[in-house]
Amino acid sequence: AIADLRAALLRAGARPAFMTGSGSAVVGLFAARPAAVRAARALRAPALKVLVAPLASFRPEVRAAAP
């Protein structure tokens, strides 16, 4: 199941795709939001919760401004 989800994310264009440490989530990172939305729509299933969310910035000037 986890390997199948990871493979589906990779086929959809995620680079990389991986599971979280405990295996409770499988994550795919996409270069652009439209590709992530298309993948999320393709992966929707009754037993899955599929989310599209932006990445936090790792730029020092953005971190410094965060509360």
Side-chain angles (χ1 to χ4, degrees):
I2 291 172
D4 295 336
L5 287 172
R6 182 178 177 276
L9 285 166
L10 290 170
R11 282 193 304 275
R15 296 296 181 268
F18 53 91
M19 79 170 197
T20 61
S22 66
S24 62
V26 179
V27 178
L29 302 181
F30 291 83
R33 183 175 177 81
V37 170
R38 281 192 301 276
R41 287 182 181 144
L43 290 171
R44 287 229 158 88
L48 297 177
K49 183 170 187 174
V50 180
L51 305 171
V52 175
L55 288 174
S57 176
F58 291 102
R59 296 184 326 212
E61 66 276 14
V62 174
R63 269 200 320 262

Short mmCIF file of all heavy atoms in Angstrom, two decimals:
data_model
loop_
_atom_site.label_atom_id
_atom_site.label_comp_id
_atom_site.label_asym_id
_atom_site.label_seq_id
_atom_site.Cartn_x
_atom_site.Cartn_y
_atom_site.Cartn_z
N ALA A 1 0.82 -1.20 0.00
CA ALA A 1 0.00 0.00 0.00
C ALA A 1 0.86 1.26 0.00
O ALA A 1 0.65 2.14 -0.82
CB ALA A 1 -0.93 -0.01 1.20
N ILE A 2 1.83 1.36 0.92
CA ILE A 2 2.69 2.54 0.96
C ILE A 2 3.54 2.62 -0.30
O ILE A 2 3.66 3.69 -0.91
CB ILE A 2 3.57 2.55 2.23
CG1 ILE A 2 2.68 2.77 3.46
CG2 ILE A 2 4.66 3.60 2.15
CD1 ILE A 2 3.38 2.60 4.77
N ALA A 3 4.11 1.51 -0.72
CA ALA A 3 4.93 1.50 -1.93
C ALA A 3 4.09 1.86 -3.15
O ALA A 3 4.57 2.56 -4.05
CB ALA A 3 5.57 0.13 -2.12
N ASP A 4 2.83 1.42 -3.18
CA ASP A 4 1.95 1.76 -4.30
C ASP A 4 1.65 3.26 -4.34
O ASP A 4 1.64 3.86 -5.42
CB ASP A 4 0.63 0.98 -4.20
CG ASP A 4 0.83 -0.52 -4.35
OD1 ASP A 4 1.83 -0.94 -4.97
OD2 ASP A 4 -0.02 -1.26 -3.83
N LEU A 5 1.40 3.86 -3.18
CA LEU A 5 1.16 5.31 -3.13
C LEU A 5 2.40 6.08 -3.55
O LEU A 5 2.31 7.05 -4.30
CB LEU A 5 0.72 5.72 -1.73
CG LEU A 5 -0.68 5.32 -1.33
CD1 LEU A 5 -0.92 5.62 0.14
CD2 LEU A 5 -1.71 6.03 -2.19
N ARG A 6 3.55 5.66 -3.07
CA ARG A 6 4.80 6.32 -3.44
C ARG A 6 5.02 6.23 -4.95
O ARG A 6 5.37 7.22 -5.60
CB ARG A 6 5.98 5.71 -2.69
CG ARG A 6 7.29 6.40 -3.00
CD ARG A 6 8.44 5.80 -2.20
NE ARG A 6 9.68 6.45 -2.58
CZ ARG A 6 10.42 6.08 -3.63
NH1 ARG A 6 10.06 5.06 -4.38
NH2 ARG A 6 11.52 6.73 -3.92
N ALA A 7 4.80 5.06 -5.51
CA ALA A 7 4.97 4.87 -6.96
C ALA A 7 3.99 5.75 -7.74
O ALA A 7 4.35 6.33 -8.76
CB ALA A 7 4.79 3.40 -7.32
N ALA A 8 2.76 5.85 -7.25
CA ALA A 8 1.76 6.69 -7.93
C ALA A 8 2.17 8.16 -7.90
O ALA A 8 2.02 8.87 -8.89
CB ALA A 8 0.39 6.50 -7.29
N LEU A 9 2.70 8.61 -6.78
CA LEU A 9 3.17 9.99 -6.70
C LEU A 9 4.34 10.24 -7.65
O LEU A 9 4.40 11.27 -8.33
CB LEU A 9 3.58 10.33 -5.26
CG LEU A 9 2.43 10.54 -4.28
CD1 LEU A 9 2.95 10.52 -2.85
CD2 LEU A 9 1.70 11.83 -4.58
N LEU A 10 5.26 9.30 -7.72
CA LEU A 10 6.39 9.44 -8.64
C LEU A 10 5.91 9.46 -10.09
O LEU A 10 6.38 10.27 -10.90
CB LEU A 10 7.41 8.32 -8.42
CG LEU A 10 8.18 8.41 -7.10
CD1 LEU A 10 8.98 7.13 -6.87
CD2 LEU A 10 9.09 9.63 -7.09
N ARG A 11 4.96 8.59 -10.43
CA ARG A 11 4.41 8.59 -11.80
C ARG A 11 3.72 9.91 -12.12
O ARG A 11 3.72 10.37 -13.27
CB ARG A 11 3.42 7.44 -11.99
CG ARG A 11 4.06 6.09 -12.19
CD ARG A 11 3.06 5.05 -12.68
NE ARG A 11 1.91 4.91 -11.80
CZ ARG A 11 1.85 4.13 -10.72
NH1 ARG A 11 2.92 3.41 -10.38
NH2 ARG A 11 0.77 4.07 -9.98
N ALA A 12 3.14 10.54 -11.10
CA ALA A 12 2.44 11.81 -11.30
C ALA A 12 3.39 13.00 -11.36
O ALA A 12 2.97 14.12 -11.61
CB ALA A 12 1.43 12.02 -10.17
N GLY A 13 4.68 12.76 -11.11
CA GLY A 13 5.67 13.83 -11.25
C GLY A 13 6.29 14.32 -9.96
O GLY A 13 7.06 15.28 -9.97
N ALA A 14 5.96 13.70 -8.83
CA ALA A 14 6.57 14.11 -7.56
C ALA A 14 8.06 13.78 -7.59
O ALA A 14 8.46 12.74 -8.07
CB ALA A 14 5.91 13.39 -6.39
N ARG A 15 8.87 14.70 -7.08
CA ARG A 15 10.31 14.48 -6.95
C ARG A 15 10.76 15.15 -5.69
O ARG A 15 10.88 16.36 -5.66
CB ARG A 15 11.09 15.05 -8.15
CG ARG A 15 10.78 14.39 -9.48
CD ARG A 15 11.21 12.91 -9.50
NE ARG A 15 10.93 12.29 -10.77
CZ ARG A 15 9.82 11.64 -11.09
NH1 ARG A 15 8.85 11.52 -10.23
NH2 ARG A 15 9.67 11.09 -12.28
N PRO A 16 10.94 14.51 -4.62
CA PRO A 16 10.82 13.08 -4.35
C PRO A 16 9.44 12.72 -3.84
O PRO A 16 8.57 13.58 -3.68
CB PRO A 16 11.85 12.87 -3.24
CG PRO A 16 11.75 14.15 -2.44
CD PRO A 16 11.51 15.24 -3.48
N ALA A 17 9.25 11.44 -3.55
CA ALA A 17 8.07 10.94 -2.85
C ALA A 17 8.58 9.99 -1.77
O ALA A 17 9.50 9.21 -2.01
CB ALA A 17 7.15 10.20 -3.81
N PHE A 18 8.04 10.10 -0.58
CA PHE A 18 8.54 9.30 0.54
C PHE A 18 7.46 9.14 1.60
O PHE A 18 6.47 9.86 1.61
CB PHE A 18 9.78 9.96 1.15
CG PHE A 18 9.56 11.41 1.54
CD1 PHE A 18 9.12 11.75 2.81
CD2 PHE A 18 9.78 12.42 0.61
CE1 PHE A 18 8.91 13.07 3.14
CE2 PHE A 18 9.57 13.75 0.95
CZ PHE A 18 9.13 14.08 2.22
N MET A 19 7.67 8.19 2.51
CA MET A 19 6.75 8.05 3.64
C MET A 19 7.35 8.74 4.84
O MET A 19 8.57 8.91 4.93
CB MET A 19 6.46 6.59 3.93
CG MET A 19 7.50 5.86 4.69
SD MET A 19 6.88 4.25 5.21
CE MET A 19 8.09 3.89 6.44
N THR A 20 6.48 9.12 5.78
CA THR A 20 6.97 9.72 7.01
C THR A 20 7.60 8.65 7.86
O THR A 20 7.45 7.46 7.60
CB THR A 20 5.83 10.40 7.78
OG1 THR A 20 4.87 9.40 8.13
CG2 THR A 20 5.19 11.50 6.97
N GLY A 21 8.28 9.04 8.90
CA GLY A 21 9.01 8.10 9.75
C GLY A 21 8.18 6.94 10.24
O GLY A 21 8.61 5.80 10.23
N SER A 22 6.95 7.20 10.68
CA SER A 22 6.12 6.12 11.21
C SER A 22 5.26 5.46 10.14
O SER A 22 4.57 4.49 10.41
CB SER A 22 5.21 6.67 12.31
OG SER A 22 4.29 7.59 11.75
N GLY A 23 5.28 6.01 8.94
CA GLY A 23 4.49 5.44 7.86
C GLY A 23 3.05 5.90 7.85
O GLY A 23 2.22 5.37 7.13
N SER A 24 2.74 6.91 8.66
CA SER A 24 1.36 7.39 8.72
C SER A 24 0.98 8.27 7.53
O SER A 24 -0.21 8.54 7.31
CB SER A 24 1.12 8.16 10.01
OG SER A 24 1.97 9.30 10.06
N ALA A 25 1.97 8.71 6.77
CA ALA A 25 1.70 9.56 5.61
C ALA A 25 2.72 9.28 4.52
O ALA A 25 3.86 8.91 4.79
CB ALA A 25 1.77 11.03 6.00
N VAL A 26 2.29 9.46 3.29
CA VAL A 26 3.17 9.40 2.13
C VAL A 26 3.15 10.79 1.52
O VAL A 26 2.07 11.36 1.30
CB VAL A 26 2.72 8.33 1.11
CG1 VAL A 26 3.65 8.31 -0.09
CG2 VAL A 26 2.68 6.96 1.78
N VAL A 27 4.32 11.35 1.26
CA VAL A 27 4.45 12.73 0.82
C VAL A 27 5.09 12.77 -0.56
O VAL A 27 6.05 12.05 -0.83
CB VAL A 27 5.34 13.51 1.82
CG1 VAL A 27 5.56 14.95 1.36
CG2 VAL A 27 4.75 13.47 3.21
N GLY A 28 4.56 13.64 -1.42
CA GLY A 28 5.16 13.89 -2.72
C GLY A 28 5.41 15.38 -2.86
O GLY A 28 4.53 16.18 -2.54
N LEU A 29 6.59 15.76 -3.30
CA LEU A 29 6.92 17.16 -3.52
C LEU A 29 6.89 17.44 -5.02
O LEU A 29 7.51 16.72 -5.80
CB LEU A 29 8.29 17.49 -2.95
CG LEU A 29 8.47 17.22 -1.45
CD1 LEU A 29 9.88 17.61 -1.02
CD2 LEU A 29 7.43 17.94 -0.63
N PHE A 30 6.18 18.49 -5.40
CA PHE A 30 6.01 18.85 -6.81
C PHE A 30 6.60 20.22 -7.07
O PHE A 30 6.59 21.09 -6.20
CB PHE A 30 4.52 18.85 -7.18
CG PHE A 30 3.91 17.48 -7.18
CD1 PHE A 30 3.46 16.90 -6.00
CD2 PHE A 30 3.79 16.76 -8.36
CE1 PHE A 30 2.91 15.64 -5.99
CE2 PHE A 30 3.23 15.49 -8.36
CZ PHE A 30 2.79 14.93 -7.18
N ALA A 31 7.10 20.42 -8.28
CA ALA A 31 7.71 21.69 -8.65
C ALA A 31 6.69 22.81 -8.76
O ALA A 31 7.02 23.97 -8.56
CB ALA A 31 8.47 21.54 -9.96
N ALA A 32 5.44 22.47 -9.08
CA ALA A 32 4.41 23.50 -9.27
C ALA A 32 3.07 23.01 -8.72
O ALA A 32 2.76 21.82 -8.78
CB ALA A 32 4.28 23.83 -10.75
N ARG A 33 2.30 23.94 -8.20
CA ARG A 33 1.00 23.61 -7.60
C ARG A 33 0.06 22.90 -8.57
O ARG A 33 -0.61 21.95 -8.17
CB ARG A 33 0.36 24.87 -7.03
CG ARG A 33 -0.95 24.58 -6.33
CD ARG A 33 -1.53 25.82 -5.66
NE ARG A 33 -2.80 25.54 -5.07
CZ ARG A 33 -2.99 24.96 -3.89
NH1 ARG A 33 -1.94 24.60 -3.18
NH2 ARG A 33 -4.20 24.75 -3.43
N PRO A 34 -0.05 23.31 -9.85
CA PRO A 34 -0.98 22.62 -10.75
C PRO A 34 -0.70 21.11 -10.85
O PRO A 34 -1.64 20.31 -10.87
CB PRO A 34 -0.78 23.32 -12.10
CG PRO A 34 -0.33 24.69 -11.72
CD PRO A 34 0.55 24.49 -10.50
N ALA A 35 0.56 20.73 -10.88
CA ALA A 35 0.89 19.30 -10.95
C ALA A 35 0.48 18.60 -9.66
O ALA A 35 -0.02 17.47 -9.69
CB ALA A 35 2.39 19.12 -11.19
N ALA A 36 0.66 19.26 -8.52
CA ALA A 36 0.26 18.67 -7.24
C ALA A 36 -1.25 18.50 -7.18
O ALA A 36 -1.75 17.47 -6.70
CB ALA A 36 0.74 19.55 -6.09
N VAL A 37 -1.99 19.47 -7.68
CA VAL A 37 -3.46 19.38 -7.67
C VAL A 37 -3.93 18.24 -8.58
O VAL A 37 -4.82 17.47 -8.21
CB VAL A 37 -4.09 20.73 -8.08
CG1 VAL A 37 -5.58 20.60 -8.32
CG2 VAL A 37 -3.80 21.79 -7.02
N ARG A 38 -3.33 18.12 -9.75
CA ARG A 38 -3.70 17.01 -10.65
C ARG A 38 -3.42 15.66 -9.99
O ARG A 38 -4.25 14.75 -10.05
CB ARG A 38 -2.92 17.11 -11.97
CG ARG A 38 -3.47 18.14 -12.94
CD ARG A 38 -2.86 18.00 -14.32
NE ARG A 38 -1.42 18.15 -14.33
CZ ARG A 38 -0.76 19.31 -14.37
NH1 ARG A 38 -1.44 20.44 -14.42
NH2 ARG A 38 0.55 19.34 -14.39
N ALA A 39 -2.28 15.53 -9.33
CA ALA A 39 -1.95 14.28 -8.65
C ALA A 39 -2.93 14.01 -7.52
O ALA A 39 -3.39 12.87 -7.34
CB ALA A 39 -0.52 14.33 -8.12
N ALA A 40 -3.27 15.02 -6.76
CA ALA A 40 -4.21 14.85 -5.65
C ALA A 40 -5.56 14.37 -6.16
O ALA A 40 -6.17 13.47 -5.58
CB ALA A 40 -4.36 16.16 -4.88
N ARG A 41 -6.02 14.95 -7.24
CA ARG A 41 -7.31 14.52 -7.83
C ARG A 41 -7.24 13.07 -8.30
O ARG A 41 -8.19 12.30 -8.13
CB ARG A 41 -7.70 15.44 -8.97
CG ARG A 41 -8.14 16.79 -8.51
CD ARG A 41 -8.57 17.67 -9.66
NE ARG A 41 -8.97 18.96 -9.16
CZ ARG A 41 -8.76 20.10 -9.78
NH1 ARG A 41 -8.15 20.11 -10.97
NH2 ARG A 41 -9.15 21.24 -9.27
N ALA A 42 -6.13 12.69 -8.89
CA ALA A 42 -5.98 11.32 -9.40
C ALA A 42 -5.89 10.30 -8.28
O ALA A 42 -6.29 9.14 -8.46
CB ALA A 42 -4.74 11.23 -10.30
N LEU A 43 -5.37 10.70 -7.12
CA LEU A 43 -5.15 9.77 -6.01
C LEU A 43 -6.33 9.69 -5.04
O LEU A 43 -6.32 8.88 -4.14
CB LEU A 43 -3.90 10.17 -5.24
CG LEU A 43 -2.59 9.95 -5.96
CD1 LEU A 43 -1.45 10.57 -5.18
CD2 LEU A 43 -2.34 8.46 -6.17
N ARG A 44 -7.33 10.53 -5.21
CA ARG A 44 -8.45 10.54 -4.26
C ARG A 44 -9.12 9.18 -4.21
O ARG A 44 -9.38 8.55 -5.23
CB ARG A 44 -9.46 11.60 -4.66
CG ARG A 44 -8.95 12.99 -4.37
CD ARG A 44 -9.96 13.81 -3.62
NE ARG A 44 -9.31 14.91 -2.91
CZ ARG A 44 -9.07 16.10 -3.43
NH1 ARG A 44 -9.42 16.37 -4.66
NH2 ARG A 44 -8.49 17.02 -2.71
N ALA A 45 -9.37 8.73 -3.01
CA ALA A 45 -10.05 7.46 -2.77
C ALA A 45 -10.72 7.54 -1.39
O ALA A 45 -10.25 8.29 -0.53
CB ALA A 45 -9.07 6.29 -2.83
N PRO A 46 -11.79 6.78 -1.18
CA PRO A 46 -12.49 6.86 0.11
C PRO A 46 -11.60 6.62 1.33
O PRO A 46 -11.79 7.22 2.37
CB PRO A 46 -13.56 5.77 0.00
CG PRO A 46 -13.78 5.60 -1.46
CD PRO A 46 -12.45 5.87 -2.10
N ALA A 47 -10.61 5.77 1.21
CA ALA A 47 -9.76 5.43 2.36
C ALA A 47 -8.56 6.38 2.52
O ALA A 47 -7.79 6.23 3.45
CB ALA A 47 -9.27 4.00 2.23
N LEU A 48 -8.41 7.35 1.62
CA LEU A 48 -7.25 8.25 1.67
C LEU A 48 -7.67 9.67 1.97
O LEU A 48 -8.73 10.12 1.53
CB LEU A 48 -6.52 8.26 0.33
CG LEU A 48 -5.89 6.96 -0.15
CD1 LEU A 48 -5.28 7.15 -1.52
CD2 LEU A 48 -4.85 6.47 0.84
N LYS A 49 -6.84 10.38 2.68
CA LYS A 49 -7.00 11.82 2.85
C LYS A 49 -5.86 12.46 2.06
O LYS A 49 -4.68 12.25 2.37
CB LYS A 49 -6.91 12.22 4.31
CG LYS A 49 -7.15 13.69 4.53
CD LYS A 49 -7.30 14.01 5.99
CE LYS A 49 -7.71 15.45 6.16
NZ LYS A 49 -8.00 15.76 7.55
N VAL A 50 -6.21 13.19 1.01
CA VAL A 50 -5.21 13.77 0.11
C VAL A 50 -5.22 15.29 0.29
O VAL A 50 -6.27 15.92 0.21
CB VAL A 50 -5.51 13.40 -1.36
CG1 VAL A 50 -4.48 14.02 -2.29
CG2 VAL A 50 -5.57 11.89 -1.53
N LEU A 51 -4.06 15.86 0.55
CA LEU A 51 -3.93 17.29 0.78
C LEU A 51 -2.89 17.89 -0.16
O LEU A 51 -1.90 17.24 -0.48
CB LEU A 51 -3.48 17.57 2.22
CG LEU A 51 -4.33 16.98 3.33
CD1 LEU A 51 -3.62 17.15 4.65
CD2 LEU A 51 -5.68 17.64 3.36
N VAL A 52 -3.11 19.14 -0.56
CA VAL A 52 -2.10 19.91 -1.29
C VAL A 52 -1.80 21.13 -0.42
O VAL A 52 -2.71 21.86 -0.03
CB VAL A 52 -2.62 20.36 -2.67
CG1 VAL A 52 -1.61 21.28 -3.35
CG2 VAL A 52 -2.94 19.16 -3.54
N ALA A 53 -0.54 21.31 -0.07
CA ALA A 53 -0.13 22.42 0.79
C ALA A 53 1.19 22.99 0.31
O ALA A 53 2.02 22.27 -0.22
CB ALA A 53 0.02 21.92 2.23
N PRO A 54 1.39 24.30 0.48
CA PRO A 54 2.67 24.90 0.09
C PRO A 54 3.76 24.51 1.07
O PRO A 54 3.49 24.20 2.24
CB PRO A 54 2.39 26.40 0.14
CG PRO A 54 1.29 26.53 1.15
CD PRO A 54 0.45 25.28 1.02
N LEU A 55 4.98 24.54 0.59
CA LEU A 55 6.14 24.29 1.45
C LEU A 55 6.48 25.55 2.23
O LEU A 55 6.32 26.66 1.72
CB LEU A 55 7.36 23.88 0.62
CG LEU A 55 7.32 22.51 0.01
CD1 LEU A 55 8.52 22.32 -0.90
CD2 LEU A 55 7.30 21.45 1.08
N ALA A 56 6.99 25.39 3.42
CA ALA A 56 7.52 26.53 4.17
C ALA A 56 8.84 26.93 3.54
O ALA A 56 9.56 26.09 3.00
CB ALA A 56 7.74 26.13 5.62
N SER A 57 9.16 28.18 3.60
CA SER A 57 10.42 28.65 3.04
C SER A 57 11.57 28.39 4.01
O SER A 57 11.41 28.50 5.22
CB SER A 57 10.34 30.15 2.77
OG SER A 57 11.59 30.61 2.32
N PHE A 58 12.71 28.06 3.47
CA PHE A 58 13.89 27.86 4.28
C PHE A 58 14.87 29.00 4.11
O PHE A 58 16.01 28.92 4.55
CB PHE A 58 14.55 26.51 3.94
CG PHE A 58 13.70 25.37 4.39
CD1 PHE A 58 12.94 24.67 3.50
CD2 PHE A 58 13.66 25.01 5.73
CE1 PHE A 58 12.14 23.61 3.91
CE2 PHE A 58 12.87 23.96 6.16
CZ PHE A 58 12.11 23.27 5.25
N ARG A 59 14.43 30.07 3.47
CA ARG A 59 15.30 31.24 3.32
C ARG A 59 15.44 31.92 4.68
O ARG A 59 14.46 32.14 5.38
CB ARG A 59 14.73 32.20 2.29
CG ARG A 59 14.65 31.62 0.91
CD ARG A 59 14.18 32.64 -0.09
NE ARG A 59 13.20 33.54 0.52
CZ ARG A 59 12.20 34.10 -0.14
NH1 ARG A 59 12.02 33.86 -1.40
NH2 ARG A 59 11.37 34.91 0.48
N PRO A 60 16.65 32.29 5.09
CA PRO A 60 16.86 32.89 6.42
C PRO A 60 16.02 34.13 6.66
O PRO A 60 15.50 34.32 7.75
CB PRO A 60 18.35 33.22 6.44
CG PRO A 60 18.95 32.33 5.40
CD PRO A 60 17.88 32.10 4.36
N GLU A 61 15.84 34.98 5.66
CA GLU A 61 15.09 36.21 5.86
C GLU A 61 13.61 35.94 6.13
O GLU A 61 12.94 36.68 6.83
CB GLU A 61 15.26 37.18 4.68
CG GLU A 61 14.67 36.71 3.36
CD GLU A 61 15.58 35.80 2.55
OE1 GLU A 61 16.59 35.29 3.08
OE2 GLU A 61 15.27 35.60 1.36
N VAL A 62 13.09 34.84 5.60
CA VAL A 62 11.69 34.48 5.85
C VAL A 62 11.56 33.87 7.24
O VAL A 62 10.64 34.18 7.99
CB VAL A 62 11.17 33.51 4.76
CG1 VAL A 62 9.77 33.02 5.10
CG2 VAL A 62 11.20 34.20 3.41
N ARG A 63 12.49 33.01 7.61
CA ARG A 63 12.45 32.40 8.96
C ARG A 63 12.54 33.46 10.03
O ARG A 63 11.86 33.40 11.04
CB ARG A 63 13.62 31.42 9.11
CG ARG A 63 13.29 30.03 8.73
CD ARG A 63 14.27 29.03 9.33
NE ARG A 63 15.64 29.44 9.33
CZ ARG A 63 16.55 29.09 8.43
NH1 ARG A 63 16.22 28.29 7.44
NH2 ARG A 63 17.78 29.51 8.50
N ALA A 64 13.38 34.46 9.84
CA ALA A 64 13.57 35.49 10.84
C ALA A 64 12.30 36.30 11.05
O ALA A 64 12.05 36.79 12.14
CB ALA A 64 14.73 36.41 10.44
N ALA A 65 11.47 36.41 10.03
CA ALA A 65 10.25 37.21 10.13
C ALA A 65 9.09 36.40 10.72
O ALA A 65 8.08 36.97 11.10
CB ALA A 65 9.86 37.72 8.74
N ALA A 66 9.23 35.10 10.80
CA ALA A 66 8.15 34.28 11.33
C ALA A 66 8.00 34.50 12.82
O ALA A 66 8.98 34.72 13.52
CB ALA A 66 8.42 32.81 11.03
N PRO A 67 6.75 34.40 13.32
CA PRO A 67 6.52 34.62 14.76
C PRO A 67 7.14 33.51 15.61
O PRO A 67 7.36 32.43 15.23
CB PRO A 67 5.01 34.61 14.91
CG PRO A 67 4.46 34.10 13.63
CD PRO A 67 5.55 34.14 12.62
#
